[in-house]
Amino acid sequence: MKTIYLITFILIIFTNIVYSNWIPRKETDENTNICDRLDEYINSPYSNEEFLNYSDVKVCYESTPYNKTKAIQVIETVKEYLKGFYALLDQAKEEQNPGFASRPIDLISELDLVLKNNYSYEFQFIYDVVDLIKELRDGHTRLESDNYHKYNFQHGLSMYSAIRKDGTQQIKVFNDIKDPRNIDCQVIDIDDKPAIDVITEFAKNHTNLSRDLSARFNSALATLAFGVREFYIAGQLFTSRTQLPKNPSISYTLNCDGKISKITREWQVPIKYVPYESPYINGTTVGNATLIFDAFIARFYVLQDFGVVLISTEAILNDDDSDIENFEYRLLSNIAVGFKLFADKGIEKIVFDLSNNPGGQVIVAHYINKLLFPDIQNFPLSFKVNNISIPLIKETSKLKKEIGNIFHYKSFISVKTNSPFDSVIDFIGNNTYIRGGEQVNYTSKAFFNDTALYYGVLKLPIPPKLPWTEKDIIILTNGLCQSSCAIFTQRLAEINVPTIAVGGFPNTRFSFAQYAVGQAMDSSNINDILNQLKNLDSSLVSKLSLPSNLTLYFTIAEAYSIKNPNEVMDYAFRPADYQLYYDERSARDPSHLWMQAAKYFKK
Ligand SMILES: *[C@@H]1O[C@H](CO)[C@@H](O)[C@H](O)[C@H]1NC(C)=O
Ligand SMILES: *[C@@H]1O[C@H](CO)[C@@H](O)[C@H](O)[C@H]1NC(C)=O
Ligand SMILES: *[C@@H]1O[C@H](CO)[C@@H](O)[C@H](O)[C@H]1NC(C)=O
Ligand SMILES: *[C@@H]1O[C@H](CO)[C@@H](O)[C@H](O)[C@H]1NC(C)=O
Ligand SMILES: *[C@@H]1O[C@H](CO)[C@@H](O)[C@H](O)[C@H]1NC(C)=O
Ligand SMILES: *[C@@H]1O[C@H](CO)[C@@H](O)[C@H](O)[C@H]1NC(C)=O
Ligand SMILES: *[C@@H]1O[C@H](CO)[C@@H](O)[C@H](O)[C@H]1NC(C)=O
Ligand SMILES: *[C@@H]1O[C@H](CO)[C@@H](O)[C@H](O)[C@H]1NC(C)=O
Ligand SMILES: *[C@@H]1O[C@H](CO)[C@@H](O)[C@H](O)[C@H]1NC(C)=O
Ligand SMILES: *[C@@H]1O[C@H](CO)[C@@H](O)[C@H](O)[C@H]1NC(C)=O
Ligand SMILES: *[C@@H]1O[C@H](CO)[C@@H](O)[C@H](O)[C@H]1NC(C)=O
Ligand SMILES: *[C@@H]1O[C@H](CO)[C@@H](O)[C@H](O)[C@H]1NC(C)=O
């Protein structure tokens, strides 16, 4: 007994010393700025706090009052960016395809309306602007604040949706860090309302990852994703929030094997672990599938007699940026090796699982498309032409070293001539379309010149000859396959490769991918470009200067279907050919879905 007391005693002294070294608590806490104190907790590796409390973060946020003068500047600058560069601004005003759950939105007018509200605090204004932009349901287009999106509010629990044998849908606990006994209990109510309704409403109003509600519903819940080298839990936007939740806590009514209980959880900001990174399953063995080749950003498995490929298109950058072309070359040639291995093993059918692929490198999508189908072109694209974008295009195009920059005409290949543009005027073109009732001008349709985009240094690995046709491939996603992932999957779907979307609502076919756009950008990229260009009108530069702690991300180029050349891919509703569902097993082991997907190979 004595020893135990002694050890406890020493530990207390020890932790106190360490603690006081790292948290210089002032005698009167209220004199320390609360926001600074939260930063200290986060930055002190020996702090024994595991969470920031909701109320502390709220007090911090409420320490900055609303300033209408600043608000007007933010709105005016955001509007300039959108008018100048946001490729989909005018089409957003049109009636949407009924397959989508998004309304027509005249963003410029609605941004002006935000200024009519009275706010007490700056964060309330910022959140309203963020939420309004979020209503575009365009994952590439969003406003982010360093200050007010800094924290991740959680409460230990995450959920998934399972379809039972009788076809009914249930929300269940996927994981609960605070009380693992709750795992797989059914969630009946959330804050005393039916769980499915609450999650659906949240997906409708508060998520931005797809125009399609089913895909957004999946993003609100926990699903597995193949990321940088390992599986991790993605999505769970309902239980992992970057905006301060409206209420300090949330309650769940659970049914655990017939026993009904109600739990209440405070929203907290975990500071001791990074939940998004936590690997859930070891991808070396996925059910009965055998990993036969690990291509770093892709994995090649064999399951029974078919192959399964997982691809991550995330931007994985080399530590040494100067070696980028060799690095890319190795990534791509590894992928080619994986496919060649499949061919050599006599694999006749392949399932591509691209669930939760958030996009990243366009080159990966372009390369795999060409590898599998050497004769297909990628989606062409164009940029908005107006008196904000023209000076950037013209000035950038004067600089030879900027070939590769998306404002340089030599980074592209003309769709009309299938060769480089003769001049910047040729690239800017004279193309007026009617969008949302307005005349809008766009650059001439173009393909990326992938070599030029890597400043002329990227050599693409010579593709091996591969045996498969569109009948031998199936694309499987949970509806969340974005950006470059969509450039890959939506292009293959246009040549009749079958697609499957997993999850969503019973008997509701939904989108397998979204945002097959040409290019996304953000305000800091534009500022870097503005800083390099010498001959710009200074009024243009000041019109485009946002406070440094706000970043506006936006779709800068729209992509066009090859099948229907005037259709903008972003607004094309493309439901998957088939639908599968998660259940207790497949939510945690994707090999169950791979087995079900294999049934849909074309005969
Ligand atoms: C959060 O609140 C709990 C309980 O009131 C307290 O023990 C903890 O120290 C607080 N954490 C921080 C970081 O202030
Ligand atoms: C509001 O912001 C403007 C511009 O930054 C500044 O000049 C002004 O002093 C601020 N007003 C208040 C009340 O802080
Ligand atoms: C905002 O405040 C002003 C003046 O304080 C008032 O005239 C106006 O009606 C308020 N607007 C709203 C929407 O509450
Ligand atoms: C919108 O989607 C992106 C992913 O494309 C995500 O990173 C971001 O947090 C979302 N933004 C908002 C405001 O929900
Ligand atoms: C940006 O930073 C300034 C200075 O730190 C701060 O006053 C302001 O509240 C921040 N605004 C946003 C929107 O993050
Ligand atoms: C969702 O949006 C609708 C329409 O704007 C609104 O009536 C409803 O209260 C919102 N629900 C939530 C949970 O925010
Ligand atoms: C996965 O499992 C294999 C075989 O058990 C093991 O060799 C490997 O180290 C594990 N990988 C990780 C990341 O845990
Ligand atoms: C693996 O195969 C065995 C034998 O066919 C089967 O019983 C088992 O359910 C399979 N496991 C999975 C995870 O599919
Ligand atoms: C589009 O281009 C035409 C022809 O160059 C021009 O007359 C028109 O003003 C432009 N429209 C806009 C909105 O810039
Ligand atoms: C830019 O064009 C818009 C309309 O297309 C016009 O209202 C505005 O005055 C122009 N700005 C400049 C600086 O030319
Ligand atoms: C642009 O196209 C319109 C209609 O196609 C034509 O009338 C006009 O002359 C063209 N403008 C230029 C500058 O080429
Ligand atoms: C693509 O760009 C590279 C490098 O700038 C250039 O050498 C090549 O000719 C271009 N390709 C085409 C098809 O225009």
Side-chain angles (χ1 to χ4, degrees):
M1 277 307 242
K2 252 186 187 158
T3 16
I4 293 175
Y5 280 133
L6 189 63
I7 290 169
T8 321
F9 182 65
I10 291 172
L11 271 180
I12 288 169
I13 292 177
F14 183 70
T15 47
N16 271 348
I17 290 168
V18 172
Y19 191 69
S20 58
N21 272 346
W22 284 92
I23 309 279
R25 277 198 197 252
K26 301 269 158 56
E27 255 116 61
T28 46
D29 256 353
E30 58 274 25
N31 289 346
T32 322
N33 178 314
I34 177 98
C35 304
D36 291 347
R37 192 144 55 78
L38 296 181
D39 279 343
E40 279 167 20
Y41 284 132
I42 289 195
N43 296 329
S44 323
Y46 299 110
S47 152
N48 55 7
E49 298 292 352
E50 290 184 23
F51 303 98
L52 303 182
N53 290 326
Y54 177 92
S55 54
D56 291 346
V57 177
K58 189 156 186 274
V59 171
C60 163
Y61 285 3
E62 290 178 351
S63 66
T64 308
Y66 176 60
N67 178 329
K68 182 139 186 191
T69 314
K70 276 161 70 179
I72 292 171
Q73 283 165 359
V74 167
I75 294 287
E76 289 307 317
T77 314
V78 165
K79 276 161 53 185
E80 288 302 309
Y81 270 104
L82 295 169
K83 285 195 263 182
F85 306 109
Y86 182 37
L88 307 169
L89 183 68
D90 296 286
Q91 191 151 1
K93 292 185 227 163
E94 295 176 9
E95 238 3 275
Q96 309 262 308
N97 185 298
F100 290 142
S102 53
R103 65 176 178 95
I105 171 164
D106 182 346
L107 195 52
I108 300 298
S109 317
E110 295 197 25
L111 280 167
D112 284 334
L113 288 181
V114 172
L115 289 173
K116 295 225 180 327
N117 298 333
N118 292 328
Y119 297 99
S120 303
Y121 308 111
E122 182 183 53
F123 83 94
Q124 297 169 323
F125 159 71
I126 295 290
Y127 281 180
D128 269 5
V129 179
V130 168
D131 284 343
L132 176 60
I133 295 176
K134 205 190 271 183
E135 286 201 55
L136 295 165
R137 311 298 170 203
D138 172 355
H140 280 137
T141 304
R142 60 189 197 272
L143 182 69
E144 261 176 37
S145 148
D146 289 356
N147 296 40
Y148 305 124
H149 292 113
K150 176 151 108 181
Y151 302 122
N152 222 288
F153 296 87
Q154 306 188 348
H155 48 263
L157 187 138
S158 59
M159 293 172 278
Y160 68 105
S161 153
I163 300 288
R164 310 177 69 205
K165 290 228 162 57
D166 65 8
T168 55
Q169 184 169 29
Q170 284 190 345
I171 303 292
K172 303 191 87 174
V173 176
F174 188 79
N175 201 12
D176 188 0
I177 293 162
K178 300 207 165 175
D179 188 353
R181 288 171 306 178
N182 291 331
I183 291 175
D184 267 338
C185 294
Q186 187 198 344
V187 182
I188 305 170
D189 287 339
I190 300 174
D191 286 337
D192 303 316
K193 290 190 218 71
I196 292 185
D197 297 352
V198 173
I199 306 271
T200 306
E201 177 106 334
F202 176 84
K204 245 186 213 156
N205 287 20
H206 299 290
T207 59
N208 70 339
L209 291 179
S210 176
R211 296 182 210 285
D212 190 314
L213 184 60
S214 300
R216 296 218 292 279
F217 180 76
N218 284 351
S219 78
L221 297 164
T223 44
L224 286 184
F226 171 65
V228 182
R229 311 230 71 193
E230 203 41 275
F231 286 93
Y232 66 102
I233 304 172
Q236 55 177 333
L237 298 179
F238 184 83
T239 46
S240 177
R241 305 195 185 171
T242 53
Q243 287 194 186
L244 182 77
K246 283 238 151 55
N247 302 316
S249 65
I250 184 164
S251 76
Y252 293 93
T253 309
L254 302 178
N255 178 348
C256 306
D257 292 323
K259 206 173 135 268
I260 311 289
S261 63
K262 186 165 171 181
I263 58 170
T264 298
R265 291 280 169 86
E266 301 283 316
W267 287 102
Q268 294 172 317
V269 178
I271 53 182
K272 281 286 161 75
Y273 63 95
V274 188
Y276 278 124
E277 300 300 324
S278 63
Y280 193 74
I281 59 170
N282 177 341
T284 318
T285 48
V286 182
N288 289 336
T290 315
L291 180 70
I292 64 155
F293 189 68
D294 183 346
F296 196 69
I297 59 166
R299 286 218 172 142
F300 294 80
Y301 295 87
V302 173
L303 181 56
Q304 295 185 338
D305 59 348
F306 63 94
V308 179
V309 182
L310 308 182
I311 302 168
S312 151
T313 47
E314 282 168 68
I316 304 163
L317 287 183
N318 203 1
D319 290 342
D320 177 8
D321 240 358
S322 64
D323 198 28
I324 184 72
E325 65 276 13
N326 285 324
F327 187 68
E328 290 290 344
Y329 184 89
R330 266 183 290 134
L331 288 184
L332 297 177
S333 60
N334 268 338
I335 290 175
V337 167
F339 283 110
K340 184 70 172 48
L341 211 59
F342 268 180
D344 292 347
K345 277 185 176 292
I347 296 290
E348 290 177 0
K349 305 279 179 188
I350 302 174
V351 173
F352 280 93
D353 185 347
L354 295 150
S355 298
N356 284 314
N357 182 317
Q361 304 192 78
V362 173
I363 187 76
V364 175
H366 285 180
Y367 183 72
I368 301 174
N369 278 348
K370 286 276 179 195
L371 188 64
L372 296 168
F373 300 99
D375 299 328
I376 66 174
Q377 286 281 19
N378 293 303
F379 296 127
L381 54 93
S382 54
F383 300 84
K384 273 179 90 159
V385 170
N386 51 50
N387 51 17
I388 298 170
S389 65
I390 289 175
L392 266 79
I393 297 173
K394 286 195 170 160
E395 290 304 314
T396 306
S397 291
K398 284 180 189 162
L399 304 173
K400 195 150 189 259
K401 71 173 173 59
E402 290 301 319
I403 298 178
N405 187 315
I406 59 148
F407 288 113
H408 200 301
Y409 75 100
K410 283 193 173 167
S411 308
F412 301 93
I413 295 166
S414 159
V415 169
K416 210 190 269 167
T417 64
N418 206 24
S419 54
F421 289 98
D422 291 336
S423 65
V424 66
I425 298 299
D426 192 17
F427 173 62
I428 291 173
N430 176 22
N431 314 286
T432 303
Y433 309 132
I434 304 290
R435 294 280 168 76
E438 314 242 352
Q439 282 201 346
V440 200
N441 296 338
Y442 285 83
T443 55
S444 304
K445 288 181 181 168
F447 299 113
F448 275 131
N449 175 343
D450 288 324
T451 312
L453 283 186
Y454 282 83
Y455 297 91
V457 293
L458 180 65
K459 253 189 14 221
L460 292 176
I462 294 168
K465 213 171 148 29
L466 298 173
W468 307 290
T469 72
E470 70 281 2
K471 292 198 173 61
D472 305 320
I473 294 174
I474 275 203
I475 289 164
L476 175 78
T477 81
N478 67 336
L480 297 159
C481 159
Q482 291 141 27
S483 201
S484 47
C485 182
I487 289 175
F488 168 57
T489 54
Q490 291 192 327
R491 185 66 193 99
L492 294 197
E494 287 207 342
I495 57 164
N496 302 322
V497 170
T499 53
I500 306 174
V502 190
F505 306 104
N507 303 311
T508 309
R509 283 202 298 140
F510 67 103
S511 310
F512 56 91
Q514 50 279 122
Y515 321 135
V517 300
Q519 183 73 29
M521 261 217 160
D522 68 54
S523 49
S524 72
N525 301 145
I526 297 282
N527 270 288
D528 290 346
I529 292 170
L530 292 175
N531 287 335
Q532 282 184 26
L533 302 175
K534 300 280 171 275
N535 297 324
L536 292 176
D537 189 336
S538 63
S539 75
L540 182 65
V541 180
S542 67
K543 267 199 264 184
L544 294 174
S545 84
L546 266 184
S548 62
N549 47 9
L550 282 178
T551 310
L552 181 70
Y553 298 79
F554 47 87
T555 300
I556 195 170
E558 60 181 25
Y560 305 93
S561 160
I562 299 266
K563 230 175 160 177
N564 310 316
N566 290 325
E567 189 176 28
V568 175
M569 287 308 295
D570 237 272
Y571 280 96
F573 177 56
R574 301 282 171 92
D577 301 310
Y578 310 104
Q579 186 181 14
L580 292 176
Y581 303 102
Y582 292 108
D583 61 21
E584 285 79 354
R585 296 188 313 163
S586 65
R588 299 187 170 87
D589 176 354
S591 72
H592 292 281
L593 297 169
W594 303 342
M595 295 286 294
Q596 294 171 52
K599 298 193 181 115
Y600 293 103
F601 284 122
K602 284 190 179 159
K603 294 293 174 309

